[in-house]
Amino acid sequence: NEKKKSKGNRSPCSPSRVLHIRQIPSGVTGAEVVSLGLPFGKVTNLLMLRGKGQAFLEMASVDAAVSMVNYYTPATPHLHNQPVYVQYSNYKELRTDNQHNQARPQAALQGVNAVQHGNLGITSALAAEGGVLPSHGSVLRIVVENVFYPVTLDMLYQIFSKFGFVLKIVMFHKNNQFQALLQYADATNAYYAKVSLDGHSIYIGCCTLRIDFSKLTNLTVKYNNDKSRDFTRIDLPFGDGQRTMETSLSTPFATQNTIFPSYTGPPGFAPALGFPQGAALGPLAVTTSAAPGHMTIPGVPGNSVLLVSNLNPEAITPYGLFILFGVYGDVHRVKIMFKKRGIALVQMADATQAQLAINYLNGQRLYGRVMHATLSKYQTIQLPREGQEDKGLTKDYSNSPLHRFKNPCSKNFQNIFPPSATLHLSNIPPSVTVDDLKNLFTSKGSTVKGFKFFQKDCKMALIQLGSVEEAVHALIELHNHDFGENQHLRVSFSKSTI
């Protein structure tokens, strides 16, 4: 009798916690349909109409169902690379007790919900679904095939963070293959990251992910660097040798002339994954000379706050971090931790700028220490309340006139380079001589190794200092230096040498 009712007036408007999912390709399992709902809350029932390519999914609350419909209406989810469509059902709840042929979806549902609630003793629950979930753990083994562009630890962290809290990542090469082990806080997260990402490519046509469950139950991480990281411990040492510049800087993120549109609109192409992909984490269209592919995994979470650690507490200031991180994006707020002065939070204008700053500054030496930069779990930096003791450690720079990337047509977008010993100077007044500039840099503790004015334009010059670290310190000290009469020096890193 319920079926007859549902045939009639299909009012798409009235929200219900039961969702009708259409155009499901044959071969899609109940567990995969359930995984569409999991990010939004507990799934309480499932009815698969296999012959019709349809399913009904019941969420624990109307709110969860509304979130799911609002999410998937602009960003159509995909199962087995085919779009599927989600709308409210006329059913208010699902009754599947007396339905024959529903044993497998019910097993899938119990399996996934059991994992979601921390009960891993469910070897048989999903065996009915073809053995998807034989009491797996929370560690995934990831093999990346056809690695045309380098894959960094931060990229993996961003992609996999969308499915839950990532605790640890270890990257290595084995049998001439790029591999990684990644541990989640919870086995459910590992399960639906595997279901959603396995077989997808990071860039169109290359860097394809092959994911399975590792036999390991826990990863041991000794060092926090660009090959391994334990996100629960910022106190780990950096390990042997300097970081390998190739992996961190040759990513397409860091290609010269990369222009990152800060992505807020609807996706420019169908998202590759049937997984939440709200405006804040829209796919990152990387337009660069070297990387023709778009990223097909919407892998940049909307987080623009960086956790910066291993700083020198004696030397670091909010302004210093504002100027340095401002080379790679517009810094809105900076907070140095009151109790741990070696740790800071830096809030960038958007997630792409945050990623750019990580790529260029993680592992850079600053005031005698190797700085670590990674994404923070915080989405924003809170300003101190009235009367709260802060000692000037939290600063708001959102309206600073020193932002380099406010104008979308700015040349600064094309002149983003890694920290280097040679600095590019501009806006030099005609009255300022070579000696004036050399003395200025020497007075800040720099060793000047070389200097030359640009032939065509005497407002610009290159100055070569004793080391990259010296140049970083000089840039912090002298960018926006006032020559008087409202003439301010502009300093950035150069790709040239003298």
Side-chain angles (χ1 to χ4, degrees), residues 255-271:
T255 321
Q256 186 182 332
N257 298 336
T258 309
I259 299 189
F260 287 93
S262 54
Y263 195 94
T264 49
F269 49 87

Side-chain angles (χ1 to χ4, degrees), residues 159-189:
I159 290 164
F160 283 83
S161 287
K162 291 212 334 310
F163 299 85
F165 188 53
V166 175
L167 299 181
K168 302 168 187 173
I169 302 178
V170 178
M171 301 192 322
F172 52 95
H173 274 85
K174 186 175 173 185
N175 310 332
N176 280 335
Q177 278 184 319
F178 176 98
Q179 298 196 21
L181 292 166
L182 182 143
Q183 182 176 348
Y184 277 105
D186 187 311
T188 332
N189 306 130

Side-chain angles (χ1 to χ4, degrees), residues 144-152 155 173 178 201-208 246-247 250-255 286-296:
V144 185
E145 294 175 351
N146 191 10
V147 182
F148 188 67
Y149 305 122
V151 175
T152 65
M155 281 163 76
H173 274 85
F178 176 98
S201 300
I202 300 179
Y203 295 94
I204 289 169
C206 68
C207 299
T208 306
E246 307 81 57
T247 53
S250 54
T251 59
F253 284 129
T255 321
V286 182
T287 39
T288 106
S289 47
H294 294 292
M295 279 190 89
T296 62

Side-chain angles (χ1 to χ4, degrees), residues 283-455:
L284 181 58
V286 182
T287 39
T288 106
S289 47
H294 294 292
M295 279 190 89
T296 62
I297 288 181
V300 177
N303 195 4
S304 56
V305 179
L306 302 173
L307 174 69
V308 186
S309 55
N310 203 34
L311 296 167
N312 182 336
E314 305 299 315
I316 202 65
T317 62
Y319 178 78
L321 290 169
F322 164 66
I323 292 295
L324 178 57
F325 280 76
V327 174
Y328 300 107
D330 292 340
V331 176
H332 284 194
R333 288 180 180 177
V334 178
K335 179 185 189 76
I336 292 176
M337 298 302 188
F338 189 74
K339 296 229 167 81
K340 291 186 176 169
R341 301 286 170 96
I343 299 173
L345 295 173
V346 176
Q347 184 172 335
M348 308 296 287
D350 62 40
T352 21
Q353 294 183 0
Q355 182 60 50
L356 215 51
I358 288 173
N359 284 346
Y360 284 116
L361 294 175
N362 180 40
Q364 175 56 51
R365 289 186 73 83
L366 179 63
Y367 303 122
R369 296 196 180 185
V370 176
M371 167 172 63
H372 305 298
T374 181
L375 283 176
S376 162
K377 62 182 181 194
Y378 298 106
Q379 299 289 324
T380 178
I381 294 177
Q382 299 292 331
L383 293 175
R385 295 184 300 280
E386 284 283 317
Q388 189 180 348
E389 193 185 11
D390 179 65
K391 299 215 168 127
L393 295 175
T394 310
K395 295 280 188 197
D396 185 273
Y397 294 105
S398 44
N399 296 319
S400 168
L402 296 186
H403 288 166
R404 295 176 189 240
F405 303 100
K406 269 196 304 226
N407 174 358
C409 307
S410 164
K411 280 226 173 98
N412 291 332
F413 282 100
Q414 281 135 53
N415 293 317
I416 296 177
F417 303 114
S420 58
T422 306
L423 295 172
H424 179 276
L425 311 180
S426 59
N427 220 24
I428 303 166
S431 58
V432 172
T433 65
V434 176
D435 285 343
D436 292 337
L437 286 164
K438 283 186 178 173
N439 292 339
L440 178 63
F441 278 81
T442 312
S443 74
K444 299 295 180 188
S446 301
T447 326
V448 178
K449 292 277 181 77
F451 183 92
K452 76 167 189 206
F453 272 113
F454 278 57
Q455 279 177 328

